[in-house]
Amino acid sequence: MATEVLEPTFEITSAWLIWMLPFAAALIMPGIGKLSKKSTGYVAVGFALMSAVSAASLIPLALEAGEVHSQIMWIEALGIKAGVLADPLSIIMANVVGWISFLIMIYSTGYMKGDKDITRFWFWMMFFIGSMQLIVLSDNLLQVFFGWEGVGLASYALISFWYRDKKKDRGGVEGRTVLGMLDYYSPTHAGMKAFIMTKVGDVMMIAGMLLIFLFAGTFGFKELMGDTDWATAMAAQGLLVPAFVLLFGGAMGKSAQFPLNEWLLEAMTGPTAVSALIHAATMVKAGVFLVARIGPLVFALSAAGIMADQFFEIIAWVGAITALLLATQGMVNPEIKKVLAYSTGSQIGYMMMALGVAGLSAQYVDGYTAGFFHLISHAMFKASLFMAAGALLHIVGSRFMTDMGGLRKHMKKTYAFMWAAGLGLMGAPFITTGFWSKDAIFAAVYESGNEWALPLFLIAVLTAIITAFYTTRMIGMVFFGNKSKHIEKMEEEGHHIHEASPSMWIPYGILAVLTIGIGIIGLSAEEGIHHLFGEYLEHSFGIHSSHAAAESSILPGFLQGLNPIALGASLVAFATGIGLGYIFYIGRWVDPVKFVNSNIFFYSIHKLFLNRWYLNALVYWCFVTTPLWLARGVSRYFEKTAIDYGMNDGVQKAVSWSAKVIQGTQTGVSQSYLFVFGAGLLFVVLILLI
């Protein structure tokens, strides 16, 4: 098996090792567990570190806008090769996945300490990381799909990790129903739901892949860009946009975008370390990465006269709808991990919106950079928030924020780090990565100049206001106010509320500090990423664009280069959201319960959001309850009619009637038998004569 690169290089070796090392760890994990369960954690952390270091070794290559592409023959009969493509996009993504996964591994050593199924946990965590890195480094769609399915399989195993379905591991409120559907679910139910809903997207994805292969004869990204005759042929038959939309369907499933978003909330039944891994840097980002991988190809085809604008419009609007829809639900949910889950889906909606708007703008690199920059910043502060939430659950023993309160005196480190990461999520001006990446999205949308710019911009700003509100609400409910009855009961029983162990708080502390640290130099970081991706897009796809700094001259000093409208919107959104959150949940000037119940309109809106816009219940009614009812009805009808009456009773009655008929012929009189014989013989003769 010879590679296309004649001289193996250090970079090529590193690119292969990034995804192979986690798989190797998963392979040996059962054996390590047999020898020493305690050692499994050290092995997992070690291999995660080696994978991250391998990714880091490629950073100089990315900074030079270079790439390495290595292939080996895979399916010789079809001429399909397997390979790695390490370009700026995949290198940056591999580092995001690698280093955040490494920190989550460290966190897991404390969070999962003492779990009797710890070997199984480490196996699936490493398998998960390996599958995600395979997606990132693959040079073709078919190989991506193998990683895609690996991530799906691992997510099912990890979401339903506590498969014994104990009461403490369930999600939702016991006994609560929405439109007759029980809003209380077990880990196994959640895992199965995630598996099935994401498979809807996977089927769409493989259909799109096969359509492209049918015309192009290849799955390779470089090959698809090298010869675009296949795209011309597909466009002539009206199949180009449908094929790419089908690929985007896979991204909708994995990234929990509307309408395939309803699995995301139930996924919180898994261990918090799993939630941090899935919702920060891996599975839900896979869809964003896929769009970032294929988006430039589609835009380059559009520039060549093969129009595919509908593809980008769909991405932008799916992202916008998801961002607003899930943000509203995060405003009212009482469970801390679910608030963060809604937030994840909403923020990914931002990324999708930016990547979609990029294709509708002449300045493609602006939206592309904004979307990917937000992916990076979100990975940091959201992983930090999830791990901090896990520490709270670990200490308090409850997933409900109503069971917390007044914890800032007892968990000072967690309090400080959640504020830092929370400010990143809110987009606190000038000091957080979240501010710069959101502002870049606002600017890209506003400056796009397409017909959807204004409504998309308004949705983005409204979502930002809601984000700042529910983040402040979460911090206020957890750390401010009086101690809950739950905590008072714990203290009465002798439990001491204390800070999490260093193995837990150090990882999310590092990410919280990075959220602020990189945020302080955020504009420079954004400009650096913009320049990097500008060179990458021009070199790999022939997409040339410059950074648009509309009306920047009216801004002073370091604000030069920012769009004043976008900047103003960012400031207003942050101030409005955190202000409302402070009034209700930190300052406690207004009781939120009394406020909601004071007006039928507010009560109805609150109920609508709390019940998830009734979408989840409708999904169950349409795709679970009704089909099961029909199937059971058909089953009962078939069983009673065809089986009981038709086969069982019918056969019995037929046999009984036949027996009576035959019995009636048995007279014992020989003349009767001779008469019957003669009549039969006469009948045969007549037939023969005729």
Side-chain angles (χ1 to χ4, degrees):
M1 297 185 297
T3 67
E4 289 190 351
V5 182
L6 298 178
E7 296 293 333
T9 64
F10 171 77
E11 288 82 4
I12 293 173
T13 304
S14 296
W16 284 98
L17 286 176
I18 290 170
W19 66 268
M20 292 179 70
L21 282 169
F23 279 131
L27 188 64
I28 66 173
M29 198 61 66
I32 300 296
K34 290 288 185 180
L35 298 173
S36 171
K37 284 190 177 182
K38 187 178 181 180
S39 301
T40 54
Y42 298 122
V43 173
V45 170
F47 272 83
L49 177 61
M50 287 189 290
S51 177
V53 170
S54 297
S57 68
L58 298 177
I59 291 177
L61 181 69
L63 295 177
E64 297 172 359
E67 67 177 41
V68 294
H69 184 206
S70 174
Q71 292 182 315
I72 60 174
M73 185 57 67
W74 184 13
I75 307 175
E76 192 167 358
L78 298 175
I80 297 175
K81 298 177 180 180
V84 290
L85 176 59
D87 56 12
L89 174 66
S90 59
I91 292 171
I92 294 174
M93 188 68 184
N95 275 278
V96 172
V97 173
W99 287 107
I100 290 182
S101 296
F102 167 64
L103 291 174
I104 293 172
M105 293 296 104
I106 296 175
Y107 172 86
S108 299
T109 59
Y111 187 84
M112 298 298 293
K113 187 177 181 180
D115 195 290
K116 63 179 181 179
D117 295 317
I118 191 66
T119 302
R120 176 164 57 88
F121 173 83
W122 290 122
F123 171 85
W124 284 116
M125 289 287 277
M126 298 309 297
F127 187 91
F128 198 114
I129 297 170
S131 298
M132 185 63 199
Q133 294 288 34
L134 178 60
I135 293 173
V136 173
L137 275 300
S138 292
D139 75 332
N140 65 86
L141 282 168
L142 184 60
Q143 199 172 313
V144 165
F145 191 74
F146 273 82
W148 203 265
E149 292 304 294
V151 165
L153 177 62
S155 68
Y156 166 73
L158 289 169
I159 292 170
S160 55
F161 179 78
W162 287 314
Y163 63 90
R164 294 172 181 86
D165 291 344
K166 296 181 179 179
K167 186 176 180 180
K168 66 181 180 65
D169 300 323
R170 292 175 175 262
V173 180
E174 187 174 2
R176 187 174 183 274
T177 60
V178 180
L179 296 181
M181 297 291 102
L182 192 65
D183 192 28
Y184 185 62
Y185 36 84
S186 63
T188 52
H189 174 93
M192 184 59 69
K193 183 176 181 179
F195 188 81
I196 292 173
M197 290 199 74
T198 56
K199 285 296 164 288
V200 174
D202 294 354
V203 171
M204 296 172 67
M205 181 178 176
I206 198 169
M209 289 167 48
L210 293 176
L211 262 178
I212 293 173
F213 182 78
L214 183 64
F215 283 85
T218 181
F219 292 106
F221 297 122
K222 302 289 286 186
E223 292 82 358
L224 290 172
M225 189 61 206
D227 182 5
T228 60
D229 290 343
W230 62 273
T232 305
M234 291 186 73
Q237 298 188 35
L239 294 175
L240 184 63
V241 172
F244 282 113
V245 170
L246 285 170
L247 287 178
F248 178 60
M252 289 166 58
K254 282 290 189 289
S255 291
Q257 297 296 281
F258 180 83
L260 299 178
N261 60 282
E262 291 300 331
W263 66 267
L264 187 68
L265 193 67
E266 280 85 342
M268 296 300 102
T269 56
T272 302
V274 172
S275 302
L277 189 65
I278 290 177
H279 295 87
T282 54
M283 180 170 163
V284 294
K285 299 292 174 59
V288 180
F289 177 80
L290 180 64
V291 174
R293 175 61 82 191
I294 65 175
L297 172 62
V298 182
F299 187 80
L301 293 174
S302 298
I306 307 171
M307 302 304 294
D309 288 353
Q310 300 94 326
F311 172 69
F312 292 109
E313 289 178 353
I314 291 171
I315 293 173
W317 274 107
V318 166
I321 293 169
T322 307
L324 183 59
L325 183 72
L326 297 190
T328 58
Q329 297 174 55
M331 294 171 64
V332 298
N333 201 281
E335 299 181 50
I336 187 169
K337 286 176 64 177
K338 288 185 179 180
V339 172
L340 295 175
Y342 282 129
S343 174
T344 293
S346 178
Q347 296 302 302
I348 290 174
Y350 265 129
M351 302 169 205
M352 291 294 189
M353 186 195 309
L355 294 174
V357 165
L360 302 174
S361 171
Q363 300 292 333
Y364 182 81
V365 70
D366 288 352
Y368 191 86
T369 300
F372 206 81
F373 186 28
H374 197 56
L375 183 152
I376 298 170
S377 61
H378 178 264
M380 289 189 295
F381 59 68
K382 186 53 62 68
S384 179
L385 286 169
F386 262 114
M387 287 189 281
L392 290 168
L393 269 66
H394 198 73
I395 301 300
V396 177
S398 174
R399 61 185 183 271
F400 293 98
M401 293 185 290
T402 49
D403 288 335
M404 302 177 189
L407 293 178
R408 67 185 186 277
K409 297 178 182 179
H410 301 279
M411 303 179 71
K412 295 180 180 180
K413 294 186 182 69
T414 300
Y415 171 65
F417 294 142
M418 283 199 75
W419 257 123
L423 287 172
L425 177 57
M426 289 187 276
F430 311 123
I431 61 169
T432 63
T433 58
F435 167 77
W436 299 109
S437 57
K438 281 187 182 180
D439 183 79
I441 293 174
F442 288 179
V445 174
Y446 183 78
E447 297 170 358
S448 63
N450 68 85
E451 59 182 318
W452 304 116
L454 183 58
L456 289 172
F457 181 76
L458 294 175
I459 291 174
V461 174
L462 179 57
T463 302
I465 294 172
I466 297 172
T467 302
F469 173 80
Y470 67 63
T471 306
T472 308
R473 169 181 177 265
M474 175 182 67
I475 293 174
M477 292 182 69
V478 171
F479 295 105
F480 290 85
N482 299 322
K483 295 180 180 178
S484 66
K485 293 181 180 179
H486 175 78
I487 292 179
E488 290 178 348
K489 184 179 179 181
M490 288 181 64
E491 292 178 336
E492 289 174 0
E493 294 174 352
H495 297 284
H496 176 62
I497 305 298
H498 56 86
E499 188 61 80
S501 63
S503 64
M504 293 175 68
W505 68 257
I506 289 176
Y508 60 77
I510 290 173
L511 292 173
V513 171
L514 285 174
T515 298
I516 301 297
I518 299 177
I520 294 174
I521 59 169
L523 184 58
S524 300
E526 195 273 336
E527 290 289 349
I529 295 174
H530 186 280
H531 176 73
L532 176 65
F533 279 126
E535 290 190 356
Y536 160 69
L537 292 170
E538 185 171 3
H539 173 75
S540 300
F541 302 95
I543 301 173
H544 176 73
S545 54
S546 58
H547 191 47
E551 304 177 68
S552 60
S553 60
I554 69 173
L555 296 173
F558 76 99
L559 299 179
Q560 290 285 329
L562 297 180
N563 182 288
I565 303 298
L567 176 61
S570 297
L571 297 176
V572 170
F574 173 76
T576 304
I578 196 172
L580 290 172
Y582 184 90
I583 290 171
F584 285 101
Y585 296 100
I586 295 181
R588 311 283 172 127
W589 299 346
V590 180
D591 188 324
V593 177
K594 292 181 179 179
F595 178 80
V596 168
N597 294 328
S598 66
N599 185 290
I600 186 64
F601 175 76
F602 294 138
Y603 176 81
S604 301
I605 292 295
H606 180 274
K607 189 175 181 180
L608 177 67
F609 293 167
L610 186 62
N611 291 335
R612 302 162 67 172
W613 291 75
Y614 298 99
L615 294 175
N616 187 62
L618 290 174
V619 167
Y620 275 96
W621 273 111
C622 294
F623 299 105
V624 180
T625 303
T626 301
L628 281 175
W629 179 79
L630 292 173
R632 288 166 180 164
V634 171
S635 175
R636 286 194 295 269
Y637 177 81
F638 180 79
E639 183 177 352
K640 289 183 179 180
T641 304
I643 305 298
D644 292 345
Y645 296 132
M647 294 183 65
N648 295 340
D649 292 346
V651 171
Q652 180 185 354
K653 290 178 180 178
V655 171
S656 179
W657 179 81
S658 301
K660 290 180 180 179
V661 172
I662 295 172
Q663 185 179 6
T665 63
Q666 305 302 309
T667 62
V669 179
S670 59
Q671 292 89 335
S672 299
Y673 299 148
L674 289 171
F675 174 77
V676 174
F677 176 77
L681 183 62
L682 179 62
F683 179 76
V684 172
V685 171
L686 289 173
I687 292 295
L688 293 174
L689 289 175
I690 295 171

PDB file of all heavy atoms in Angstrom, residues 293-317:
ATOM      1  N   ARG A 293     -16.641  22.074   5.810  1.00  0.00           N
ATOM      2  CA  ARG A 293     -15.841  21.326   4.842  1.00  0.00           C
ATOM      3  C   ARG A 293     -16.426  21.410   3.434  1.00  0.00           C
ATOM      4  O   ARG A 293     -15.692  21.600   2.464  1.00  0.00           O
ATOM      5  CB  ARG A 293     -15.719  19.862   5.299  1.00  0.00           C
ATOM      6  CG  ARG A 293     -15.004  18.927   4.322  1.00  0.00           C
ATOM      7  CD  ARG A 293     -13.570  19.370   4.092  1.00  0.00           C
ATOM      8  NE  ARG A 293     -12.654  18.945   5.123  1.00  0.00           N
ATOM      9  CZ  ARG A 293     -11.408  19.389   5.241  1.00  0.00           C
ATOM     10  NH1 ARG A 293     -10.964  20.293   4.379  1.00  0.00           N
ATOM     11  NH2 ARG A 293     -10.618  18.986   6.208  1.00  0.00           N
ATOM     12  N   ILE A 294     -17.742  21.268   3.306  1.00  0.00           N
ATOM     13  CA  ILE A 294     -18.352  21.232   1.971  1.00  0.00           C
ATOM     14  C   ILE A 294     -18.816  22.606   1.504  1.00  0.00           C
ATOM     15  O   ILE A 294     -19.008  22.821   0.303  1.00  0.00           O
ATOM     16  CB  ILE A 294     -19.525  20.232   1.907  1.00  0.00           C
ATOM     17  CG1 ILE A 294     -20.681  20.676   2.806  1.00  0.00           C
ATOM     18  CG2 ILE A 294     -19.050  18.838   2.254  1.00  0.00           C
ATOM     19  CD1 ILE A 294     -21.912  19.796   2.685  1.00  0.00           C
ATOM     20  N   GLY A 295     -19.013  23.549   2.452  1.00  0.00           N
ATOM     21  CA  GLY A 295     -19.506  24.870   2.092  1.00  0.00           C
ATOM     22  C   GLY A 295     -18.640  25.591   1.068  1.00  0.00           C
ATOM     23  O   GLY A 295     -19.159  26.122   0.076  1.00  0.00           O
ATOM     24  N   PRO A 296     -17.308  25.654   1.266  1.00  0.00           N
ATOM     25  CA  PRO A 296     -16.460  26.318   0.261  1.00  0.00           C
ATOM     26  C   PRO A 296     -16.553  25.681  -1.115  1.00  0.00           C
ATOM     27  O   PRO A 296     -16.469  26.374  -2.131  1.00  0.00           O
ATOM     28  CB  PRO A 296     -15.053  26.162   0.860  1.00  0.00           C
ATOM     29  CG  PRO A 296     -15.270  26.027   2.328  1.00  0.00           C
ATOM     30  CD  PRO A 296     -16.548  25.265   2.461  1.00  0.00           C
ATOM     31  N   LEU A 297     -16.708  24.366  -1.165  1.00  0.00           N
ATOM     32  CA  LEU A 297     -16.869  23.682  -2.440  1.00  0.00           C
ATOM     33  C   LEU A 297     -18.119  24.167  -3.162  1.00  0.00           C
ATOM     34  O   LEU A 297     -18.083  24.479  -4.357  1.00  0.00           O
ATOM     35  CB  LEU A 297     -16.920  22.169  -2.216  1.00  0.00           C
ATOM     36  CG  LEU A 297     -17.286  21.297  -3.434  1.00  0.00           C
ATOM     37  CD1 LEU A 297     -16.242  21.473  -4.539  1.00  0.00           C
ATOM     38  CD2 LEU A 297     -17.394  19.825  -3.026  1.00  0.00           C
ATOM     39  N   VAL A 298     -19.235  24.247  -2.427  1.00  0.00           N
ATOM     40  CA  VAL A 298     -20.489  24.704  -3.026  1.00  0.00           C
ATOM     41  C   VAL A 298     -20.363  26.152  -3.476  1.00  0.00           C
ATOM     42  O   VAL A 298     -20.822  26.526  -4.559  1.00  0.00           O
ATOM     43  CB  VAL A 298     -21.659  24.544  -2.034  1.00  0.00           C
ATOM     44  CG1 VAL A 298     -22.971  24.986  -2.680  1.00  0.00           C
ATOM     45  CG2 VAL A 298     -21.776  23.101  -1.554  1.00  0.00           C
ATOM     46  N   PHE A 299     -19.722  26.993  -2.652  1.00  0.00           N
ATOM     47  CA  PHE A 299     -19.552  28.405  -3.012  1.00  0.00           C
ATOM     48  C   PHE A 299     -18.655  28.553  -4.233  1.00  0.00           C
ATOM     49  O   PHE A 299     -18.917  29.392  -5.103  1.00  0.00           O
ATOM     50  CB  PHE A 299     -18.959  29.183  -1.835  1.00  0.00           C
ATOM     51  CG  PHE A 299     -18.916  30.667  -2.058  1.00  0.00           C
ATOM     52  CD1 PHE A 299     -20.060  31.430  -1.869  1.00  0.00           C
ATOM     53  CD2 PHE A 299     -17.750  31.309  -2.450  1.00  0.00           C
ATOM     54  CE1 PHE A 299     -20.028  32.814  -2.076  1.00  0.00           C
ATOM     55  CE2 PHE A 299     -17.711  32.668  -2.654  1.00  0.00           C
ATOM     56  CZ  PHE A 299     -18.851  33.427  -2.465  1.00  0.00           C
ATOM     57  N   ALA A 300     -17.597  27.759  -4.302  1.00  0.00           N
ATOM     58  CA  ALA A 300     -16.710  27.805  -5.465  1.00  0.00           C
ATOM     59  C   ALA A 300     -17.457  27.402  -6.730  1.00  0.00           C
ATOM     60  O   ALA A 300     -17.236  27.975  -7.800  1.00  0.00           O
ATOM     61  CB  ALA A 300     -15.510  26.895  -5.238  1.00  0.00           C
ATOM     62  N   LEU A 301     -18.351  26.425  -6.610  1.00  0.00           N
ATOM     63  CA  LEU A 301     -19.168  26.026  -7.753  1.00  0.00           C
ATOM     64  C   LEU A 301     -20.102  27.158  -8.166  1.00  0.00           C
ATOM     65  O   LEU A 301     -20.321  27.399  -9.358  1.00  0.00           O
ATOM     66  CB  LEU A 301     -19.978  24.778  -7.409  1.00  0.00           C
ATOM     67  CG  LEU A 301     -19.176  23.487  -7.179  1.00  0.00           C
ATOM     68  CD1 LEU A 301     -20.102  22.374  -6.708  1.00  0.00           C
ATOM     69  CD2 LEU A 301     -18.422  23.069  -8.415  1.00  0.00           C
ATOM     70  N   SER A 302     -20.654  27.860  -7.178  1.00  0.00           N
ATOM     71  CA  SER A 302     -21.522  29.000  -7.472  1.00  0.00           C
ATOM     72  C   SER A 302     -20.757  30.091  -8.203  1.00  0.00           C
ATOM     73  O   SER A 302     -21.261  30.712  -9.145  1.00  0.00           O
ATOM     74  CB  SER A 302     -22.135  29.550  -6.183  1.00  0.00           C
ATOM     75  OG  SER A 302     -22.935  28.602  -5.532  1.00  0.00           O
ATOM     76  N   ALA A 303     -19.526  30.330  -7.765  1.00  0.00           N
ATOM     77  CA  ALA A 303     -18.685  31.336  -8.419  1.00  0.00           C
ATOM     78  C   ALA A 303     -18.367  30.958  -9.862  1.00  0.00           C
ATOM     79  O   ALA A 303     -18.146  31.826 -10.702  1.00  0.00           O
ATOM     80  CB  ALA A 303     -17.402  31.532  -7.624  1.00  0.00           C
ATOM     81  N   ALA A 304     -18.361  29.644 -10.144  1.00  0.00           N
ATOM     82  CA  ALA A 304     -18.099  29.155 -11.490  1.00  0.00           C
ATOM     83  C   ALA A 304     -19.359  29.097 -12.355  1.00  0.00           C
ATOM     84  O   ALA A 304     -19.313  28.599 -13.480  1.00  0.00           O
ATOM     85  CB  ALA A 304     -17.455  27.775 -11.432  1.00  0.00           C
ATOM     86  N   GLY A 305     -20.461  29.584 -11.824  1.00  0.00           N
ATOM     87  CA  GLY A 305     -21.698  29.629 -12.588  1.00  0.00           C
ATOM     88  C   GLY A 305     -22.669  28.508 -12.303  1.00  0.00           C
ATOM     89  O   GLY A 305     -23.760  28.460 -12.879  1.00  0.00           O
ATOM     90  N   ILE A 306     -22.298  27.593 -11.411  1.00  0.00           N
ATOM     91  CA  ILE A 306     -23.180  26.486 -11.030  1.00  0.00           C
ATOM     92  C   ILE A 306     -23.879  26.890  -9.746  1.00  0.00           C
ATOM     93  O   ILE A 306     -23.377  26.691  -8.639  1.00  0.00           O
ATOM     94  CB  ILE A 306     -22.392  25.182 -10.850  1.00  0.00           C
ATOM     95  CG1 ILE A 306     -21.559  24.889 -12.102  1.00  0.00           C
ATOM     96  CG2 ILE A 306     -23.343  24.026 -10.563  1.00  0.00           C
ATOM     97  CD1 ILE A 306     -20.593  23.747 -11.935  1.00  0.00           C
ATOM     98  N   MET A 307     -25.028  27.513  -9.866  1.00  0.00           N
ATOM     99  CA  MET A 307     -25.673  28.154  -8.734  1.00  0.00           C
ATOM    100  C   MET A 307     -26.242  27.152  -7.739  1.00  0.00           C
ATOM    101  O   MET A 307     -26.858  26.158  -8.124  1.00  0.00           O
ATOM    102  CB  MET A 307     -26.795  29.071  -9.217  1.00  0.00           C
ATOM    103  CG  MET A 307     -26.314  30.151 -10.185  1.00  0.00           C
ATOM    104  SD  MET A 307     -24.977  31.189  -9.490  1.00  0.00           S
ATOM    105  CE  MET A 307     -25.882  32.014  -8.180  1.00  0.00           C
ATOM    106  N   ALA A 308     -25.986  27.415  -6.457  1.00  0.00           N
ATOM    107  CA  ALA A 308     -26.505  26.569  -5.385  1.00  0.00           C
ATOM    108  C   ALA A 308     -26.870  27.429  -4.174  1.00  0.00           C
ATOM    109  O   ALA A 308     -26.653  27.031  -3.029  1.00  0.00           O
ATOM    110  CB  ALA A 308     -25.487  25.495  -5.012  1.00  0.00           C
ATOM    111  N   ASP A 309     -27.418  28.643  -4.433  1.00  0.00           N
ATOM    112  CA  ASP A 309     -27.743  29.560  -3.338  1.00  0.00           C
ATOM    113  C   ASP A 309     -28.773  28.981  -2.369  1.00  0.00           C
ATOM    114  O   ASP A 309     -28.747  29.282  -1.177  1.00  0.00           O
ATOM    115  CB  ASP A 309     -28.276  30.879  -3.895  1.00  0.00           C
ATOM    116  CG  ASP A 309     -27.178  31.717  -4.540  1.00  0.00           C
ATOM    117  OD1 ASP A 309     -25.993  31.328  -4.422  1.00  0.00           O
ATOM    118  OD2 ASP A 309     -27.504  32.746  -5.156  1.00  0.00           O
ATOM    119  N   GLN A 310     -29.682  28.144  -2.898  1.00  0.00           N
ATOM    120  CA  GLN A 310     -30.714  27.567  -2.032  1.00  0.00           C
ATOM    121  C   GLN A 310     -30.104  26.769  -0.890  1.00  0.00           C
ATOM    122  O   GLN A 310     -30.650  26.730   0.211  1.00  0.00           O
ATOM    123  CB  GLN A 310     -31.665  26.688  -2.840  1.00  0.00           C
ATOM    124  CG  GLN A 310     -32.405  27.397  -3.958  1.00  0.00           C
ATOM    125  CD  GLN A 310     -31.697  27.270  -5.290  1.00  0.00           C
ATOM    126  OE1 GLN A 310     -30.453  27.229  -5.347  1.00  0.00           O
ATOM    127  NE2 GLN A 310     -32.500  27.186  -6.340  1.00  0.00           N
ATOM    128  N   PHE A 311     -28.973  26.138  -1.169  1.00  0.00           N
ATOM    129  CA  PHE A 311     -28.269  25.368  -0.143  1.00  0.00           C
ATOM    130  C   PHE A 311     -27.902  26.252   1.046  1.00  0.00           C
ATOM    131  O   PHE A 311     -28.152  25.897   2.208  1.00  0.00           O
ATOM    132  CB  PHE A 311     -27.023  24.733  -0.755  1.00  0.00           C
ATOM    133  CG  PHE A 311     -26.107  24.067   0.233  1.00  0.00           C
ATOM    134  CD1 PHE A 311     -26.478  22.906   0.882  1.00  0.00           C
ATOM    135  CD2 PHE A 311     -24.859  24.605   0.508  1.00  0.00           C
ATOM    136  CE1 PHE A 311     -25.625  22.289   1.795  1.00  0.00           C
ATOM    137  CE2 PHE A 311     -24.004  23.997   1.410  1.00  0.00           C
ATOM    138  CZ  PHE A 311     -24.389  22.847   2.054  1.00  0.00           C
ATOM    139  N   PHE A 312     -27.337  27.408   0.779  1.00  0.00           N
ATOM    140  CA  PHE A 312     -26.924  28.316   1.845  1.00  0.00           C
ATOM    141  C   PHE A 312     -28.122  28.960   2.539  1.00  0.00           C
ATOM    142  O   PHE A 312     -28.086  29.228   3.742  1.00  0.00           O
ATOM    143  CB  PHE A 312     -25.982  29.381   1.295  1.00  0.00           C
ATOM    144  CG  PHE A 312     -24.649  28.840   0.868  1.00  0.00           C
ATOM    145  CD1 PHE A 312     -24.315  28.760  -0.480  1.00  0.00           C
ATOM    146  CD2 PHE A 312     -23.731  28.400   1.797  1.00  0.00           C
ATOM    147  CE1 PHE A 312     -23.087  28.261  -0.878  1.00  0.00           C
ATOM    148  CE2 PHE A 312     -22.492  27.887   1.405  1.00  0.00           C
ATOM    149  CZ  PHE A 312     -22.176  27.819   0.064  1.00  0.00           C
ATOM    150  N   GLU A 313     -29.173  29.226   1.812  1.00  0.00           N
ATOM    151  CA  GLU A 313     -30.386  29.778   2.422  1.00  0.00           C
ATOM    152  C   GLU A 313     -30.982  28.801   3.431  1.00  0.00           C
ATOM    153  O   GLU A 313     -31.406  29.199   4.526  1.00  0.00           O
ATOM    154  CB  GLU A 313     -31.410  30.121   1.342  1.00  0.00           C
ATOM    155  CG  GLU A 313     -31.036  31.320   0.488  1.00  0.00           C
ATOM    156  CD  GLU A 313     -32.042  31.597  -0.608  1.00  0.00           C
ATOM    157  OE1 GLU A 313     -32.962  30.763  -0.782  1.00  0.00           O
ATOM    158  OE2 GLU A 313     -31.922  32.629  -1.297  1.00  0.00           O
ATOM    159  N   ILE A 314     -31.017  27.535   3.068  1.00  0.00           N
ATOM    160  CA  ILE A 314     -31.547  26.518   3.977  1.00  0.00           C
ATOM    161  C   ILE A 314     -30.700  26.448   5.249  1.00  0.00           C
ATOM    162  O   ILE A 314     -31.234  26.400   6.365  1.00  0.00           O
ATOM    163  CB  ILE A 314     -31.609  25.153   3.271  1.00  0.00           C
ATOM    164  CG1 ILE A 314     -32.686  25.167   2.186  1.00  0.00           C
ATOM    165  CG2 ILE A 314     -31.887  24.037   4.277  1.00  0.00           C
ATOM    166  CD1 ILE A 314     -32.673  23.944   1.296  1.00  0.00           C
ATOM    167  N   ILE A 315     -29.387  26.458   5.097  1.00  0.00           N
ATOM    168  CA  ILE A 315     -28.494  26.394   6.256  1.00  0.00           C
ATOM    169  C   ILE A 315     -28.717  27.600   7.165  1.00  0.00           C
ATOM    170  O   ILE A 315     -28.828  27.464   8.391  1.00  0.00           O
ATOM    171  CB  ILE A 315     -27.020  26.330   5.809  1.00  0.00           C
ATOM    172  CG1 ILE A 315     -26.742  25.017   5.098  1.00  0.00           C
ATOM    173  CG2 ILE A 315     -26.093  26.470   7.004  1.00  0.00           C
ATOM    174  CD1 ILE A 315     -25.359  24.941   4.483  1.00  0.00           C
ATOM    175  N   ALA A 316     -28.780  28.785   6.573  1.00  0.00           N
ATOM    176  CA  ALA A 316     -28.929  30.006   7.360  1.00  0.00           C
ATOM    177  C   ALA A 316     -30.235  30.008   8.139  1.00  0.00           C
ATOM    178  O   ALA A 316     -30.262  30.349   9.337  1.00  0.00           O
ATOM    179  CB  ALA A 316     -28.847  31.228   6.450  1.00  0.00           C
ATOM    180  N   TRP A 317     -31.329  29.615   7.504  1.00  0.00           N
ATOM    181  CA  TRP A 317     -32.620  29.665   8.170  1.00  0.00           C
ATOM    182  C   TRP A 317     -32.803  28.531   9.179  1.00  0.00           C
ATOM    183  O   TRP A 317     -33.418  28.742  10.232  1.00  0.00           O
ATOM    184  CB  TRP A 317     -33.749  29.654   7.149  1.00  0.00           C
ATOM    185  CG  TRP A 317     -34.048  31.040   6.659  1.00  0.00           C
ATOM    186  CD1 TRP A 317     -33.759  31.564   5.442  1.00  0.00           C
ATOM    187  CD2 TRP A 317     -34.660  32.086   7.413  1.00  0.00           C
ATOM    188  NE1 TRP A 317     -34.151  32.875   5.382  1.00  0.00           N
ATOM    189  CE2 TRP A 317     -34.712  33.223   6.584  1.00  0.00           C
ATOM    190  CE3 TRP A 317     -35.164  32.181   8.707  1.00  0.00           C
ATOM    191  CZ2 TRP A 317     -35.257  34.431   7.006  1.00  0.00           C
ATOM    192  CZ3 TRP A 317     -35.698  33.388   9.137  1.00  0.00           C
ATOM    193  CH2 TRP A 317     -35.745  34.490   8.295  1.00  0.00           C
TER     194      TRP A 317
END
